[in-house]
Amino acid sequence: MKNKLYLIFALCTILANSSKGQSFKNEFGFRSDNDSYLAQGSDMYYTNGLYIHFRHATNQEHLKQSLEKKIFEISAGQKIFNPRSGYSPDPDRQDRPFAGYLYAGAAMSWYSKKESVFKMAVELGTTGPNSLSQSGQELLHNTIGFYELAGWEYQIKNENSINLSAQYTKLISRSEDNTTDLSFEGYANAGTIFNAVGAGFLFRIGRINQLFNSGATNSVISNQQKTSSFMPRELFFYTRPQLNYIIYDATVQGSMFNNDSPVTFGIQPIVFEQKLGLNYSSPRFTFDFGVYLRTKEVRSRAPGHQFGAISMYYRFD
């Protein structure tokens, strides 16, 4: 796995040399989450996630003076959850429900000259068999040669959903040599699947750009750019500690309206998450690798969980 990550990073670096001094207004790419990226031999709880994104920067000449950028985004994704093992045929021994979530969404982000970011998003989706998560996990296991799955007949039932979210990021301080900075981050989710609020901090060290020109905030794309970036390319380490208050999670608790799922649990309301990562962004490419460490989320014998995330984005006109 380490050799594969080094190869991907080297390829991005080589290809990025062909886009010196250029800027692009569109971005397409994906993010993949999986606990196997940490080479721990685990396949449990939040076991897999796949997300596809397309972003477009609107014409910056038409924005009011206080705004640096406005970026529109459409996305689709799937999250897959299972107990400690995907082979859990006995519902009495399951410590988290089998569950899936499939969605399509749209979002708009506003980036101010004073380096604050405000993002609003909406997702339409479904849980249960309609999420195709059982088929997705079976395809993954059959393709890679993993073990046989058992227990999906006890998954969370079908439930169509709508979820709204808001995120806010604000620069707190930055060093004079532009090599470190600290930002506040907060969010709120409300809907029929996920309800939560959280707050934390983003700390970056390395070759960094402003929050409106950075891979950290998905804002490298531009359309009639107003303010030049500090660096032609970013390469930085980051940490994102965050405290979350979970109000409702349908992938654990089932439907909030008519819960007829065979296996459900209560949620742990206070969840701490620590993300550590490395980000490389050129005008053409972004590559990001992050490690997520989460405390206990389910009121069962299930402990906290860790997983890795790989993101790759390509920019074009």
Side-chain angles (χ1 to χ4, degrees):
M1 180 59 65
K2 289 184 178 180
N3 291 335
K4 290 181 180 179
L5 294 176
Y6 291 148
L7 179 60
I8 293 171
F9 183 77
L11 180 61
C12 289
T13 304
I14 293 170
L15 293 176
N17 289 331
S18 63
S19 57
K20 293 180 179 179
Q22 291 180 273
S23 63
F24 304 94
K25 60 186 178 184
N26 299 306
E27 179 177 79
F28 179 79
F30 73 92
R31 170 179 152 180
S32 173
D33 298 345
N34 201 294
D35 46 6
S36 68
Y37 293 153
L38 302 185
Q40 299 180 113
S42 62
D43 185 33
M44 57 186 181
Y45 309 136
Y46 175 45
T47 183
N48 191 70
L50 181 62
Y51 312 91
I52 299 172
H53 299 269
F54 170 78
R55 301 183 181 98
H56 171 75
T58 63
N59 192 324
Q60 293 165 244
E61 293 181 339
H62 299 161
L63 301 177
K64 60 183 181 181
Q65 191 64 28
S66 60
L67 279 182
E68 181 68 30
K69 282 181 183 176
K70 187 165 71 171
I71 294 178
F72 173 73
E73 176 181 346
I74 55 175
S75 62
Q78 183 188 62
K79 298 181 179 182
I80 301 176
F81 305 87
N82 55 228
R84 187 173 184 85
S85 170
Y87 183 82
S88 299
D90 183 355
D92 293 331
R93 298 181 63 84
Q94 294 173 8
D95 56 359
R96 194 202 195 284
F98 283 88
Y101 175 57
L102 181 70
Y103 78 91
M108 185 70 77
S109 299
W110 293 263
Y111 300 81
S112 79
K113 285 185 174 294
K114 294 183 178 181
E115 295 196 61
S116 64
V117 184
F118 181 66
K119 180 178 180 179
M120 291 286 294
V122 59
E123 294 178 3
L124 301 177
T126 182
T127 58
N130 287 344
S131 72
L132 305 178
S133 294
Q134 179 180 358
S135 300
Q137 192 174 34
E138 287 175 347
L139 176 62
L140 179 63
H141 277 230
N142 292 337
T143 301
I144 301 178
F146 281 1
Y147 61 87
E148 179 184 0
L149 300 170
W152 270 99
E153 62 268 31
Y154 302 108
Q155 70 176 298
I156 296 294
K157 298 293 187 180
N158 287 329
E159 182 75 27
N160 294 329
S161 67
I162 180 170
N163 246 78
L164 305 175
S165 66
Q167 300 177 31
Y168 179 73
T169 304
K170 174 63 179 175
L171 179 69
I172 297 175
S173 64
R174 178 176 292 130
S175 63
E176 292 185 3
D177 60 358
N178 298 325
T179 58
T180 62
D181 66 11
L182 179 68
S183 302
F184 167 81
E185 295 189 325
Y187 79 92
N189 295 334
T192 58
I193 298 294
F194 302 111
N195 290 293
V197 294
F201 297 95
L202 167 64
F203 175 74
R204 302 186 296 168
I205 180 168
R207 296 173 57 86
I208 59 176
N209 279 322
Q210 307 98 315
L211 294 181
F212 52 72
N213 283 327
S214 177
T217 54
N218 300 311
S219 59
V220 180
I221 54 175
S222 61
N223 188 349
Q224 305 299 322
Q225 188 172 19
K226 289 184 176 183
T227 306
S228 298
S229 302
F230 292 148
M231 308 283 181
R233 295 176 181 80
E234 291 184 295
L235 180 61
F236 58 85
F237 291 95
Y238 63 89
T239 179
R240 266 186 165 117
Q242 186 176 79
L243 188 64
N244 305 277
Y245 180 67
I246 311 301
I247 302 168
Y248 195 83
D249 183 345
T251 69
V252 176
Q253 298 171 279
S255 170
M256 65 168 56
F257 304 110
N258 180 28
N259 182 25
D260 58 353
S261 297
V263 178
T264 58
F265 293 92
I267 54 170
Q268 197 72 20
I270 305 297
V271 176
F272 179 74
E273 177 181 276
Q274 173 69 66
K275 183 183 180 184
L276 306 168
L278 171 69
N279 184 287
Y280 171 79
S281 293
S282 72
R284 179 72 80 172
F285 293 96
T286 284
F287 172 76
D288 185 283
F289 178 72
V291 175
Y292 289 80
L293 310 172
R294 287 181 179 171
T295 60
K296 184 179 178 69
E297 300 176 84
V298 183
R299 287 186 174 174
S300 72
R301 61 182 179 276
H305 185 45
Q306 305 84 41
F307 62 92
I310 296 174
S311 301
M312 295 185 68
Y313 298 105
Y314 173 77
R315 287 174 277 278
F316 60 96
D317 279 333

